[in-house]
């Protein structure tokens, strides 16, 4: 008897372990570790992942599994193992770890079909299943199960004749298009055509079309090209010569792009020196982590490309992670240009179906390189030769929900398994990584100058307090205004950057200072101009802007703060001749609009590109000679120990946008705190000095990289309960850890209430606590078992957001 170990899709403490199920005889040769199956669970039928198959079980009264969900494993052995590691290190449920590795299309809400693989005909299938594909292109999974076809389908899938596809069940918003195809070969159609009655001229024409074009064609196109009517096609379908099929059409965002093929550039001496140890690691299959530290434009990407090339030549695969907002077509082009169809791209702009298609290419080993955002780190390759993380300092590599993993840690874990190098690239490395490089845990590779020795742009720091004193109340300093004007006259382009993180526009009474807060959360409501409403970003509460102040009845209650719209309005007043493109969440919400706006700017259709952090990256246009940062310090005052680091990184990055080409660039940074070291040193583009200063401060306050952090957050409806329970946890942790650890709390979270739940936290700073994971697990066990009183506990190890 064969027994499957199954992690079931019930995310609770009690079910966070493998359950044993009997594999019935008929499935014995089908079920493999890494497949999903349906199992009975209490009175329900649920999904689960098979993690292992054993010969027996100690458990009495075993139940039988119901049916398989896959034709082949969706997780390979290494990923199954990685899931365990994720569970251990991030303290998440196993089911979350496995689900995180799969594309969304594999989750609920999608209907599964088995379909002929591209270019395959029903004739090539074995007798038993041929009839199912003769009149239809695809077979519903349920039907396959009902008719006992799974093992035959599996064999055909292994030969590449069939494949599994997922179709979105709710068809409402997806585009469905009718396609028509022929059920016979060209020769057979020619014979059939002769049988058609002579006056059915149109039908013959349609058949002629298919004799010339054997592929599926969109009905609309077919009618256009043949001048036939839909009724004609219907008649041919009724005669079982053609078939119609509704298909969801996805738009491939890169479909209409041609990738100009590029070739490896002869490396500069600095690049050659940097790539040598990477190549050595690839060749000797020895795991090593490299920190490639080089300013923007120093040639890091070329090093990535030539390292990948080496990996491909060895028959291995490469994963490249890029922050979501840098995953621009420009970026993708550089990889597609070099490796063409060997590249799969995974980013959030793709529909679930498109993502699944890319994932399938990886699984089928049709590609050798995957370029993607955070979750691409789980690409199901099986022979990884290098993992590259560009802009490794980006905080988006940390996932904030379960599993709360950092892609860098996952990369290193996988690279250890495959004994391959990890390359972390950045112009402003995270303090953690740079410190590790200093300690020789990572191998530091430095590119100290830009290509062609092009100088870094000159940076001007403007003290906005001075401006105010001089009577300038505008959001533009006199200097920035003059420079913008000058660019417009010269026909050059400018980029204006508004740091909006943590600085949304709120509604305030100018007379008494009253700020409109969310009634459910302790946070101010954000002003939205559309409909003149205020919204809470945490719970979704919405309301109209009051006409008079609820506190003092003053009429001077209005929105405060500088949103991009407001800047745009002001630009319209002071520089009416300027053509402005605004890029923010409002103007880039629709798919493809981000790209379109950038393209317009590139084509010179505007003088000024105005935007939030989404324009901080990837812009590389020759005509940009001025970058202005409107308010550099908005992020400095967030309750986050990384706020200086983030400010420095962002300002350095934005400055790097100017003068990348022939024309020299200038940067203007406006600030109310010009004396702050992160602003001053960003102005000097001096990372090394910033690193030293910031390390001193981190050391003084016991923060990473000197200490590790673990954050325990409790939430409950009643303030007293949450405080008392947090206090208990603080006491318990204190009694268990060494006196080297620093335990802070109970303290209200920076956002003390969300959706009417109070939030309290305990922050643990520690250097070496071998027992901490066990202690934290125990806390989770305890509270996850007792969810009855409504108390929720979450733990984030190495948190990035302390909110
Ligand atoms: P980074 O990734 O560090 O920002 P890139 O790799 O994009 O730097 O290089 C900056 C520019 O220099 C690009 O336009 C790139 O094509 C060019 N470049 C890079 N390496 C070389 C080289 N060895 N010879 C000539 N041009 C190069
Ligand atoms: Zn008031
Ligand atoms: Zn709210």
């Amino acid at each position: 008897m064969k027994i499957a170990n199954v992690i079931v899709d019930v995310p609770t403490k009690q079910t966070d372990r493998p359950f044993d199920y009997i594999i019935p005889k008929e499935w014995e040769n089908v079920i493999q570790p890494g497949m999903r199956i349906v199992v009975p669970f209490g009175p329900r039928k649920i999904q689960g992942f098979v993690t292992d198959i054993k010969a027996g079980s100690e458990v009495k009264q075993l139940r039988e599994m119901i049916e398989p969900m896959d034709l082949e494993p969706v997780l390979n052995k290494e990923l199954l193992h990685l899931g365990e590691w994720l569970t251990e290190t991030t303290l998440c449920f196993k089911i979350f770890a496995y689900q995180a590795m799969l594309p969304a299309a594999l989750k609920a809400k999608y209907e599964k079909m088995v379909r002929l693989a591209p270019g395959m005909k029903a004739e090539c299938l074995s007798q038993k299943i041929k009839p199912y594909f003769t009149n239809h292109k695809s077979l519903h999974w349920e039907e396959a199960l009902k008719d006992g076809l799974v093992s035959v389908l599996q064999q055909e899938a292994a030969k590449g004749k069939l494949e599994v596809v997922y179709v979105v069940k709710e068809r409402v918003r997806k585009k469905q298009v009718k396609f028509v195809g022929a059920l016979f070969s060209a020769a057979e159609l020619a014979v059939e055509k002769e049988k058609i009655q002579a006056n059915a001229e149109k039908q013959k024409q349609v058949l002629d079309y298919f004799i010339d074009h054997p592929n599926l064609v969109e009905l609309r196109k077919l009618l256009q090209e043949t001048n036939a009517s839909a009724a004609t096609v219907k008649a041919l379908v009724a005669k079982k010569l053609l078939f119609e099929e509704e298909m969801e059409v996805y738009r491939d965002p890169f479909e209409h792009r041609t990738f100009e093929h590029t070739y490896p550039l002869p490396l500069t001496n600095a690049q050659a020196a940097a790539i040598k140890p990477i190549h050595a690691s690839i060749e000797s299959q020895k795991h090593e982590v490299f920190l490639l530290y080089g300013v923007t434009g120093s040639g890091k990407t070329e090093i990535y490309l030539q390292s990948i090339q080496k990996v491909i030549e060895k028959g291995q695969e490469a994963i490249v992670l890029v922050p979501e907002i840098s995953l621009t077509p420009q970026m993708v082009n550089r990889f597609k240009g070099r490796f063409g169809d060997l590249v799969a791209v995974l980013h959030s702009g793709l529909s679930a179906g498109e993502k699944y298609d890319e994932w399938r290419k990886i699984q089928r080993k049709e590609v050798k390189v995957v370029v993607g955002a955070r979750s691409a780190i789980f690409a199901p390759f099986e022979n990884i030769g290098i993992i590259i993380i560009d802009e490794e300092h980006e905080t988006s590599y940390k996932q904030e929900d379960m599993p709360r993993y950092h892609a860098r840690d996952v990369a290193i874990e996988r690279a250890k398994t495959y004994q391959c190098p990890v390359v972390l690239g950045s112009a402003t490395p995270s303090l953690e990584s740079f410190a590790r490089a200093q300690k020789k845990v990572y191998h530091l590779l430095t590119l100290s100058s830009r290509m062609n020795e092009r100088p870094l742009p000159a940076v001007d720091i403007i003290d906005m307090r001075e401006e105010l004193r001089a009577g300038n109340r505008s959001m533009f300093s006199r200097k920035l205004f003059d420079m913008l004007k000058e660019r417009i006259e010269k026909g050059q382009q400018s980029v204006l950057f508004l740091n909006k993180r943590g600085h949304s526009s709120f509604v305030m009474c100018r007379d008494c200072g009253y700020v409109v807060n969310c009634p459910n959360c302790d946070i101010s409501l954000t002003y939205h101009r559309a409909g003149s409403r205020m919204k809470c970003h945490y719970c979704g509460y919405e309301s109209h802007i009051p006409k008079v102040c609820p506190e003092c009845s003053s009429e001077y209650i209005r929105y405060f703060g500088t949103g991009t719209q407001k800047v745009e309005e002001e630009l319209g007043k002071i520089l009416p001749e300027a053509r402005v493109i605004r890029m923010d969440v409002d103007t880039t919400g629709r798919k493809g609009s981000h790209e379109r706006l950038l393209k317009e700017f590139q084509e010179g259709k505007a003088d000024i590109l105005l935007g939030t952090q989404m324009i901080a990256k990837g812009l590389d246009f020759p005509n940009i000679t001025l970058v202005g940062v409107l308010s550099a310090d908005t992020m400095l005052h967030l309750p986050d120990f990384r706020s200086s680091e983030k400010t420095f990184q962002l300002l350095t990055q934005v400055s790097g946008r100017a003068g990348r080409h022939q024309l020299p660039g200038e940067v203007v940074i406006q600030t109310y705190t010009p004396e702050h070291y992160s602003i001053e040193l960003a102005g000097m583009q001096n990372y090394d000095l910033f690193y030293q200063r910031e390390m001193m401060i981190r050391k003084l306050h016991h923060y990473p990289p000197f200490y590790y952090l673990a954050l325990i957050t409790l939430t409950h409806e009643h303030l007293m309960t949450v405080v008392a329970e947090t206090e208990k946890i603080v006491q318990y942790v204190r009694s268990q850890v060494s006196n080297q650890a620093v335990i802070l709390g109970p303290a209200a979270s920076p956002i003390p209430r969300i959706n009417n739940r109070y939030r309290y936290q305990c922050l643990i700073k520690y250097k070496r606590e071998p027992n901490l994971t066990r202690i934290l697990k125990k806390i989770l066990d305890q509270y996850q078992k007792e969810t009855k009183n409504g108390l929720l506990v979450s733990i984030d190890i190495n948190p990035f957001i302390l909110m």
Side-chain angles (χ1 to χ4, degrees):
M1 187 167 65
K2 279 197 177 170
I3 305 294
N5 278 182
V6 181
I7 298 292
V8 294
D9 186 6
V10 184
T12 67
K13 186 67 234 159
Q14 291 85 337
T15 53
D16 191 30
R17 60 170 179 88
F19 285 82
D20 289 357
Y21 287 94
I22 297 170
I23 305 177
K25 267 269 168 313
E26 53 172 324
W27 305 123
E28 256 186 20
N29 297 320
V30 171
I31 305 301
Q32 297 166 36
M35 279 185 175
R36 296 167 307 150
I37 62 175
V38 180
V39 295
F41 198 79
R44 291 188 294 155
K45 279 189 352 179
I46 58 169
Q47 306 183 11
F49 287 88
V50 178
T51 54
D52 204 357
I53 290 172
K54 293 186 306 188
S57 168
E58 280 92 68
V59 187
K60 297 193 174 67
Q61 295 187 324
L62 282 182
R63 298 173 76 175
E64 282 192 357
M65 60 163 276
I66 298 170
E67 63 199 28
M69 293 179 64
D70 297 307
L71 290 180
E72 20 181 341
V74 289
L75 294 174
N76 62 37
K77 284 231 164 60
E78 182 243 340
L79 289 174
L80 281 172
H81 197 75
L82 189 71
E84 282 169 30
W85 174 86
L86 262 183
T87 305
E88 279 302 306
T89 54
T90 70
L91 301 180
C92 70
F93 297 131
K94 291 190 176 65
I95 188 73
F96 286 146
Y98 292 136
Q99 280 169 346
M101 298 179 182
L102 297 177
L106 291 181
K107 290 160 203 164
K109 290 193 303 202
Y110 297 88
E111 196 165 6
K112 188 157 43 173
M113 317 274 278
V114 182
R115 191 161 80 180
L116 282 167
M120 290 294 161
K121 284 254 158 68
E123 285 84 77
C124 69
L125 297 172
S126 66
Q127 281 310 326
K128 185 169 177 196
I129 52 171
K130 195 170 14 187
Y132 291 90
F133 294 92
T134 323
N135 286 328
H136 308 274
K137 289 282 284 185
S138 48
L139 171 66
H140 281 271
W141 183 253
E142 276 72 41
E143 200 181 337
L145 284 170
K146 199 172 73 208
D147 296 0
L149 302 174
V150 174
S151 70
V152 194
L153 293 175
Q154 189 178 32
Q155 286 158 18
E156 300 289 47
K159 291 181 205 145
K161 293 180 185 172
L162 293 176
E163 63 179 10
V164 175
V165 288
Y166 288 83
V167 185
V168 181
K169 262 186 192 158
E170 322 106 301
R171 290 164 189 254
V172 266
R173 279 167 54 221
K174 295 285 170 183
K175 198 173 169 195
Q176 293 281 331
V177 173
K178 207 172 256 182
F179 282 83
V180 185
L183 288 165
F184 294 93
S185 68
E188 290 163 334
L189 284 181
V191 176
E192 294 296 327
K193 188 179 130 191
E194 297 312 316
K195 298 184 196 157
I196 288 177
Q197 60 273 40
N199 59 354
E201 205 42 55
K202 278 285 174 218
Q203 293 188 16
K204 290 186 182 184
Q205 270 174 28
V206 171
L207 288 185
D208 277 336
Y209 180 88
F210 281 101
I211 291 169
D212 294 339
H213 308 85
N215 292 328
L216 269 187
V217 58
E218 206 181 308
L219 176 64
R220 198 175 42 92
K221 184 172 170 214
L222 176 69
L223 300 184
Q224 246 169 32
E225 305 226 335
T226 58
N227 265 327
S229 68
T232 311
V233 176
K234 277 261 175 310
L236 288 166
V237 171
K239 287 182 182 157
K240 295 222 173 347
L241 295 175
L242 302 182
F243 67 94
E244 277 185 330
E245 183 168 87
E246 290 252 312
M247 281 207 296
E248 189 176 327
V249 285
Y250 296 118
R251 204 172 52 115
D252 173 359
F254 301 107
E255 182 179 55
H256 302 296
R257 302 191 148 257
T258 46
F259 299 102
E260 198 182 323
H261 192 70
T262 66
Y263 296 91
L265 300 165
L267 296 180
T268 62
N269 289 340
Q271 282 175 318
I275 208 169
K276 207 170 146 204
I278 302 176
H279 276 184
S281 167
I282 295 168
E283 245 152 49
S284 60
Q285 306 224 6
K286 216 173 130 274
H287 166 67
E288 211 176 333
V289 181
F290 297 95
L291 176 60
L292 180 58
Y293 163 46
V295 295
T296 4
S298 60
K300 294 188 294 298
T301 310
E302 187 60 34
I303 292 187
Y304 303 155
L305 292 169
Q306 297 198 19
S307 302
I308 295 168
Q309 175 151 5
K310 182 117 203 149
V311 164
I312 294 177
E313 281 164 8
K314 269 191 80 205
Q316 291 186 292
E317 299 135 357
I319 297 177
V320 184
L321 297 191
V322 177
E324 185 68 57
I325 41 176
S326 313
L327 253 175
T328 56
Q330 272 183 325
M331 182 75 188
V332 171
N333 271 1
R334 297 197 60 183
F335 289 88
K336 289 223 174 189
R338 196 66 60 89
F339 306 114
D341 289 341
L342 291 180
V343 180
V345 182
L346 289 170
H347 66 89
S348 66
L350 301 178
S351 68
E354 285 168 329
K355 267 189 216 152
Y356 176 71
D357 292 346
E358 296 294 295
W359 184 84
R360 281 289 292 157
K361 287 187 204 161
I362 302 166
Q363 209 196 21
R364 280 194 231 114
K365 313 280 179 313
E366 288 172 5
V367 294
K368 290 286 182 185
V369 183
V370 55
V371 180
R374 182 179 61 222
S375 62
I377 195 59
F378 298 115
F381 280 139
E382 292 183 312
N383 189 11
I384 299 174
I386 195 168
I387 302 177
I388 294 164
I389 304 188
D390 192 32
E391 316 244 26
E392 68 89 31
H393 61 275
E394 270 294 317
T395 50
S396 61
Y397 287 128
K398 172 76 197 295
Q399 169 147 311
E400 297 300 340
D401 321 319
M402 277 221 231
R404 299 189 172 87
Y405 68 91
H406 196 295
R408 193 198 296 137
D409 300 331
V410 180
I412 293 173
E413 185 62 21
R414 292 194 81 181
K416 278 183 192 158
T417 308
Y418 291 101
Q419 282 299 304
C420 74
V422 171
V423 178
L424 308 174
S426 178
T428 53
S430 63
L431 248 64
E432 283 94 331
S433 294
F434 205 73
R436 274 180 205 143
Q438 296 290 320
K439 286 174 109 180
K440 309 253 189 279
V441 180
Y442 296 168
H443 187 150
L444 183 64
L445 306 169
T446 310
L447 293 177
S448 44
S449 54
R450 279 181 155 186
M451 275 296 137
N452 310 334
E453 309 291 326
R454 222 160 271 139
L456 287 166
V459 180
D460 255 309
I461 294 179
I462 310 287
D463 186 344
M464 291 304 277
R465 295 169 306 190
E466 291 284 330
E467 292 292 313
L468 217 61
R469 271 178 226 132
N472 176 14
R473 300 188 162 274
S474 134
M475 58 181 91
F476 295 92
S477 60
R478 290 158 296 175
K479 172 113 190 186
L480 181 55
F481 173 78
D482 289 344
M483 287 169 89
L484 281 170
K485 215 170 155 63
E486 188 192 321
R487 303 298 132 145
I488 295 173
E489 279 155 14
K490 284 196 197 153
Q492 296 174 358
Q493 290 180 305
S494 309
V495 171
L496 281 181
F497 178 76
L498 184 71
N499 186 358
K500 266 198 71 160
R501 215 176 268 168
H503 187 107
S504 42
S505 345
F506 48 98
V507 176
M508 189 172 87
C509 168
R510 300 254 162 135
D511 278 330
C512 76
Y514 172 84
V515 173
V516 183
N517 275 340
C518 172
N520 311 319
C521 314
D522 283 333
I523 192 156
S524 56
L525 293 174
T526 304
Y527 171 77
H528 284 252
R529 202 163 75 156
S532 203
R533 297 179 75 77
M534 303 177 296
K535 278 185 199 159
C536 172
H537 278 287
Y538 289 89
C539 74
Y541 173 86
E542 270 190 50
S543 100
H544 274 294
I545 296 173
K547 292 220 163 34
V548 295
C549 170
E551 282 291 309
C552 73
S553 304
S554 158
E555 284 175 15
Y556 290 95
I557 182 159
R558 51 198 58 165
Y559 75 93
F560 200 82
T562 36
T564 38
Q565 294 167 337
K566 189 139 178 252
V567 179
E568 192 180 16
E569 279 169 25
E570 177 133 351
L571 271 175
K573 281 182 210 146
I574 61 168
L575 279 172
E577 69 273 33
R579 297 166 303 159
V580 181
I581 288 181
R582 176 164 66 91
M583 263 177 88
D584 55 23
V585 280
D586 290 338
T587 63
T588 57
R590 277 213 327 257
K591 200 170 152 182
S593 49
H594 187 266
E595 195 193 341
R596 183 176 47 78
L597 291 175
L598 276 184
K599 194 156 164 279
E600 283 174 16
F601 188 62
Q602 184 175 20
E603 288 166 355
K605 293 189 180 145
D607 308 298
I608 299 174
L609 178 66
L610 164 67
T612 51
Q613 40 263 32
M614 68 172 67
I615 63 169
K617 299 195 163 86
L619 273 181
D620 187 8
F621 305 146
N623 207 23
I624 301 175
T625 59
L626 173 64
V627 170
V629 180
L630 290 170
S631 48
D633 23 23
T634 48
M635 207 159 63
L636 270 180
H637 310 300
L638 288 180
D640 176 357
F641 72 92
R642 285 192 179 86
S643 61
S644 301
E645 183 182 354
K646 286 183 192 159
T647 301
F648 178 84
Q649 285 162 346
L650 201 65
L651 292 181
T652 311
Q653 200 133 51
V654 178
S655 307
R657 296 299 117 215
R660 309 245 302 167
H661 298 265
Q662 301 312 329
L663 300 166
E666 280 183 283
V667 177
V668 174
I669 296 177
Q670 302 188 153
T671 169
Y672 289 90
T673 44
E675 64 282 354
H676 194 283
Y677 65 96
S678 64
I679 291 178
E680 200 181 332
L681 293 173
M684 292 156 63
Q685 315 241 339
N686 192 333
Y687 176 82
D688 300 82
L689 212 51
F690 172 78
Y691 172 77
Q692 287 168 24
R693 289 286 298 271
E694 184 68 13
M695 284 294 270
M696 270 164 47
I697 290 167
R698 299 283 181 91
K699 188 169 187 182
L700 194 66
H701 298 295
H702 306 295
Y703 275 117
F706 295 96
Y707 280 74
Y708 295 106
L709 300 181
L711 180 71
I712 309 176
T713 306
L714 278 80
T715 73
H716 194 270
E717 289 171 17
H718 298 299
L719 183 61
M720 297 308 283
T721 311
V722 78
V723 176
E725 294 296 329
T726 313
E727 177 63 33
K728 268 197 225 161
I729 287 182
V730 169
Q731 294 303 340
Y732 174 70
V733 175
R734 234 178 230 142
S735 72
Q736 299 289 315
V737 295
S738 78
N739 54 12
Q740 262 211 334
V742 182
I743 292 134
L744 302 178
S749 300
I751 301 169
R753 193 169 52 124
I754 293 182
N755 223 348
N756 284 323
R757 295 179 67 88
Y758 290 91
R759 311 172 74 238
Y760 262 68
Q761 63 185 36
C762 162
L763 184 65
I764 307 161
K765 303 176 177 181
Y766 64 99
K767 270 190 178 299
R768 232 187 60 82
E769 296 295 332
N771 286 327
L772 189 66
T773 317
R774 194 181 48 78
I775 298 163
L776 295 177
K777 234 183 184 158
K778 221 165 156 184
I779 295 172
L780 276 182
D781 282 2
Q782 186 65 25
Y783 284 91
Q784 283 168 345
K785 270 186 195 140
E786 293 178 1
T787 43
K788 51 186 183 299
N789 63 1
L791 196 72
L792 290 179
V793 178
S794 70
I795 296 185
D796 194 347
I797 297 177
N798 303 321
F800 267 66
I801 296 181
L802 296 184
M803 309 254 179

